[in-house]
Amino acid sequence: MDLKMTTPHIEQALASVEEHTRATIKTLFQFLHAQGQGDYLGEQVTQLEHSLQCAYLATQSTKHGNDPEVILAALLHDVGRFIPAAEKMEKMITPDGQYIGRQSHEALGEFYLRQIGFSEKVCTLVGAHVMAKRYLVATDRSYYDALSETSKRTLKFQGGGYNTEQVREAQQDPLLEAKLSVRRWDDLAKKPDLKVPLLEAYEELAYKCLIDSRSKFTLHSKEYNLPTKPTVVICVDGFDPEYLKSGIERGLLPTFKKLIENRFHATVKSCMPSFTNPNNVSILTGVPPSTHGTAGNFFLDRETGETKMITDDSLLRGSTILEQMFRRGVRVAAITAKDKLRKILAHGLKGAICFSSEKAADCTLDENGISDVEEWLGQPAPSQYSGGLSLFVLDTGIKLLQEKRCDFLYLTLSDYIQHKYEPGSNEADKFMGAIDKRLASLAALAPVIGITGDHGMSQKSNELGEPNVLFLEEVLNSKFGPNASRVICPITDPFVRHHGALDSFVRVYLKDITQLGSVLSFCKSLPDVDVALSGQDAAQRYEMPLDREGDIVVISKPHAVIGSCKADHDLLGVKDHLLRSHGGLSEQDVPLIMSNPVNKGGRAEAYILR
């Protein structure tokens, strides 16, 4: 038997992925060795001998003998009995007190293999050998008669034979024949002293199957390939296309210009609302807020009536692309300017490098995967109200790549400069030029780079240079009565000095929901309002989570912002500059720049960031 002839062809993987995959297989096979030597439920073979015989029978199959996934599934079909978690599964005890195994070991095995990254086919076959037994009992009387006494006893705990409807449904399964084959080998693999290859003979096959399946993954119904080269993704906070256009036209951004002219560039739309948290999470998950659940920086908890700032991953629904890559051995690093994003980025990244430049001085190995950052980088953590906060992130990325400490970098910046300074201003030019210089260094170290923004930015002042603000809660309560409404500004975060927590998208919560129609009509009539929708309509139109939506959503016109009450907004921080903010439809446009084509055909298309 030449198992090498059956292994799949795989593309060159990152060294870290290869190393992680080898370690995973080593751990898996240690489980098989350690626990597989035990009794196999009263049969005349050990658990390990049974598994090896089952795999051997698969290799001898005319139809499946050259299918590595079927062979591996046969070897691992009882893995749910081996792993430590098996001890937590309920025991199956017969009426006469005999122990005949653990319930649902096939489901546990399938779950375990799926978690470590084996293919859907391998996992499904492992999870189906009890189902196949029940199917065969229902469709082949001689099959039941040939079962061992132990197998007949476990059948009672497993639900017995299938009914007619279950049989009909199973017959639609394209993998049914393979599932039945694994089951029949399972039944036959109980012969004492049968000479078969040792477990080590399957190690390379298992490794190649796993690294092949790990080369891609599916998240939220979308398929992704693991990176095969060092890759950097940069989210420039507040990256209005005008900053890029202005800088390139005046020759200030040579690296950006080179990427745009020689690679791929488009103006795309961020998701709504156009804030930091929703769009960073959309970039990291590939889906809109309606799926990942994060629709702002700040929200009202309807159950408690309390407002809460989103500073962790507690509202995140599902996994992230970073987590899925990390699980498969990619050395992921995620660096953010603002600490409010750090715990969201760090979801599922225990042990990875993940910190904020805001809190760089406080990093620990246990929490952030790195310590003594300021000494390591050779510069102190900058003020949170400075462009240096973003440059610190980029400098960190450069050094991590120089030291070959990561394979995939996610770098997300701060929009402090964009909130204060318009495109073409000296301060904005200096900041964008500093980013461009660091981008050149990153491009020299990483073959694959993607750059985008989480939202744009618009000027929000009137002719006198004063913030053009609609204090909506005051207006509504004046019209409909004291405490009739509560207005939440989702832009609110620990960084408010430069924008006063004023934005172009707010959520309105009503004391009396029967006033919804009247309040909605009134909001639409206000001169600074662009869009007013019920929460239900807004959630549907802008793909936001309905269960976390307000009663009404109000979006301002491009050059206005909406606040709650004057007393809730400190505008002292915007006295020295024209107010610039975001959140609305007019701030959705952001650049998308990529060093590689979007698809294999080399044709790139603009798309909404989600």
Side-chain angles (χ1 to χ4, degrees):
M1 178 180 63
D2 186 0
L3 289 176
K4 292 182 180 179
M5 297 298 293
T6 68
T7 53
H9 170 74
I10 54 176
E11 300 294 334
Q12 182 63 43
L14 290 165
S16 59
V17 175
E18 292 180 343
E19 181 181 351
H20 187 273
T21 303
R22 292 279 184 198
T24 301
I25 294 299
K26 182 178 180 180
T27 299
L28 171 61
F29 275 45
Q30 284 174 343
F31 288 150
L32 299 181
H33 266 300
Q35 299 188 39
Q37 302 292 345
D39 173 71
Y40 178 46
L41 306 178
E43 302 288 355
Q44 297 182 50
V45 293
T46 67
Q47 177 69 71
L48 180 58
E49 288 171 337
H50 169 68
S51 297
L52 292 174
Q53 287 186 23
C54 195
Y56 173 72
L57 291 171
T59 66
Q60 302 306 298
S61 165
T62 302
K63 186 167 186 177
H64 301 292
N66 201 42
D67 188 329
E69 292 176 302
V70 174
I71 295 170
L72 191 61
L75 176 70
L76 301 177
H77 74 280
D78 273 341
V79 71
R81 301 186 194 276
F82 302 142
I83 57 179
E87 295 300 316
K88 299 178 182 179
M89 304 301 285
E90 186 177 349
K91 294 180 179 180
M92 293 186 289
I93 307 293
T94 63
D96 60 2
Q98 183 182 358
Y99 168 70
I100 54 173
R102 301 272 179 176
Q103 287 200 36
S104 304
H105 74 280
E106 76 288 353
L108 178 62
E110 178 181 0
F111 176 79
Y112 169 73
L113 295 177
R114 202 179 297 280
Q115 287 295 103
I116 62 178
F118 277 105
S119 70
E120 180 68 21
K121 183 176 179 179
V122 170
C123 297
T124 299
L125 291 177
V126 167
H129 70 279
V130 170
M131 159 264 154
K133 174 182 174 181
R134 297 178 64 197
Y135 175 90
L136 288 168
V137 166
T139 58
D140 184 353
R141 179 63 190 179
S142 63
Y143 174 81
Y144 176 81
D145 294 337
L147 287 175
S148 68
E149 287 305 312
T150 299
S151 196
K152 288 178 180 178
R153 287 186 169 193
T154 58
L155 178 64
K156 295 178 181 179
F157 289 88
Q158 294 161 345
Y162 268 3
N163 59 37
T164 303
E165 184 178 343
Q166 289 172 318
V167 168
R168 188 181 303 114
E169 183 179 346
Q171 288 172 342
Q172 306 305 311
D173 184 354
L175 281 179
L176 178 61
E177 198 281 329
K179 291 177 179 179
L180 299 182
S181 294
V182 173
R183 180 68 233 183
R184 291 189 184 278
W185 301 327
D186 183 11
D187 296 325
L188 293 171
K190 301 171 183 178
K191 297 180 180 180
D193 304 320
L194 179 65
K195 300 298 182 182
V196 297
L198 299 176
L199 181 60
E200 289 72 18
Y202 298 93
E203 191 164 341
E204 192 64 17
L205 178 144
Y207 164 75
K208 290 187 176 181
C209 280
L210 181 55
I211 201 166
D212 180 59
S213 62
R214 280 183 165 187
S215 67
K216 52 189 175 295
F217 62 90
T218 299
L219 178 63
H220 298 303
S221 302
K222 295 182 180 181
E223 188 171 284
Y224 299 89
N225 294 322
L226 282 195
T228 57
K229 301 174 182 178
T231 300
V232 178
V233 173
I234 304 171
C235 177
V236 180
D237 198 353
F239 197 15
D240 193 276
E242 284 301 313
Y243 288 99
L244 190 63
K245 180 182 177 183
S246 173
I248 288 177
E249 286 178 348
R250 291 177 294 124
L252 303 177
L253 305 177
T255 310
F256 277 109
K257 184 174 187 290
K258 183 178 179 181
L259 283 172
I260 287 173
E261 291 181 347
N262 300 323
R263 296 295 185 261
F264 169 70
H265 166 245
T267 297
V268 298
K269 289 192 178 294
S270 65
C271 69
M272 284 293 288
S274 50
F275 294 129
T276 295
N277 281 5
N279 279 286
N280 270 272
V281 179
S282 285
I283 292 169
L284 295 176
T285 59
V287 289
S290 56
T291 301
H292 63 63
T294 303
N297 307 336
F298 189 72
F299 74 103
L300 177 70
D301 187 328
R302 285 183 183 269
E303 291 186 4
T304 64
E306 297 178 353
T307 54
K308 295 182 180 180
M309 203 168 290
I310 300 174
T311 58
D312 59 32
D313 60 348
S314 59
L315 295 182
L316 178 65
R317 290 170 172 163
S319 183
T320 69
I321 295 169
L322 297 184
E323 180 186 18
Q324 292 302 314
M325 290 193 295
F326 184 67
R327 282 185 184 179
R328 288 160 175 79
V330 177
R331 295 178 303 162
V332 171
I335 318 298
T336 172
K338 305 173 183 179
D339 199 62
K340 69 171 185 177
L341 267 178
R342 178 181 60 83
K343 289 185 179 179
I344 298 176
L345 301 184
H347 179 81
L349 300 185
K350 180 65 175 177
I353 296 174
C354 183
F355 69 91
S356 70
S357 51
E358 179 190 354
K359 301 290 185 181
D362 303 326
C363 289
T364 65
L365 279 173
D366 183 62
E367 179 75 14
N368 308 102
I370 190 171
S371 61
D372 302 318
V373 171
E374 292 173 305
E375 181 180 349
W376 167 74
L377 192 59
Q379 55 180 284
S383 164
Q384 69 182 66
Y385 292 108
S386 71
L389 201 69
S390 294
L391 303 182
F392 192 95
V393 172
L394 298 173
D395 289 340
T396 296
I398 291 168
K399 184 149 189 178
L400 288 173
L401 288 173
Q402 287 173 336
E403 295 182 355
K404 295 180 169 51
R405 295 179 68 176
C406 62
D407 306 307
F408 189 98
L409 264 174
Y410 184 73
L411 308 174
T412 179
L413 313 185
S414 161
D415 59 0
Y416 173 74
I417 294 295
Q418 291 90 332
H419 266 290
K420 291 193 69 171
Y421 305 108
E422 65 183 355
S425 64
N426 289 334
E427 294 84 352
D429 286 348
K430 182 179 178 181
F431 178 66
M432 290 300 298
I435 292 177
D436 188 87
K437 180 180 178 181
R438 287 160 174 80
L439 180 57
S441 297
L442 289 167
L445 294 164
V448 182
I449 291 184
I451 310 150
T452 190
D454 51 357
H455 55 76
M457 193 74 67
S458 297
Q459 192 265 110
K460 306 288 185 178
S461 297
N462 59 27
E463 297 83 357
L464 300 176
E466 300 169 339
N468 187 22
V469 188
L470 166 63
F471 289 107
L472 186 59
E473 185 172 313
E474 290 184 357
V475 172
L476 292 179
N477 290 346
S478 174
K479 173 73 174 178
F480 295 96
N483 303 316
S485 69
R486 190 169 181 184
V487 171
I488 298 297
C489 302
I491 194 175
T492 306
D493 67 7
F495 288 71
V496 297
R497 194 173 77 190
H498 50 305
H499 55 64
L502 294 167
D503 60 69
S504 294
F505 178 106
V506 298
R507 294 184 166 102
V508 181
Y509 296 82
L510 301 177
K511 182 178 180 180
D512 181 2
I513 195 63
T514 64
Q515 290 187 314
L516 177 64
S518 300
V519 176
L520 188 56
S521 295
F522 179 72
C523 288
K524 291 178 180 179
S525 72
L526 297 172
D528 287 325
V529 170
D530 186 17
V531 175
L533 296 167
S534 69
Q536 182 172 353
D537 289 344
Q540 182 175 2
R541 179 181 295 187
Y542 301 124
E543 297 183 281
M544 301 182 296
L546 177 59
D547 61 319
R548 294 174 180 171
E549 201 45 73
D551 297 318
I552 294 173
V553 164
V554 181
I555 303 172
S556 72
K557 290 182 177 178
H559 298 299
V561 287
I562 306 175
S564 53
C565 305
K566 288 181 182 179
D568 295 335
H569 299 272
D570 182 3
L571 300 183
L572 291 177
V574 296
K575 291 288 187 181
D576 63 340
H577 64 277
L578 295 177
L579 177 65
R580 297 173 56 77
S581 196
H582 53 94
L585 298 170
S586 51
E587 291 83 44
Q588 278 191 282
D589 284 357
V590 290
L592 175 63
I593 303 165
M594 302 180 71
S595 63
N596 293 66
V598 171
N599 56 35
K600 292 181 180 179
R603 179 171 177 265
E605 298 177 356
Y607 55 95
I608 293 178
L609 281 177
R610 59 185 183 209

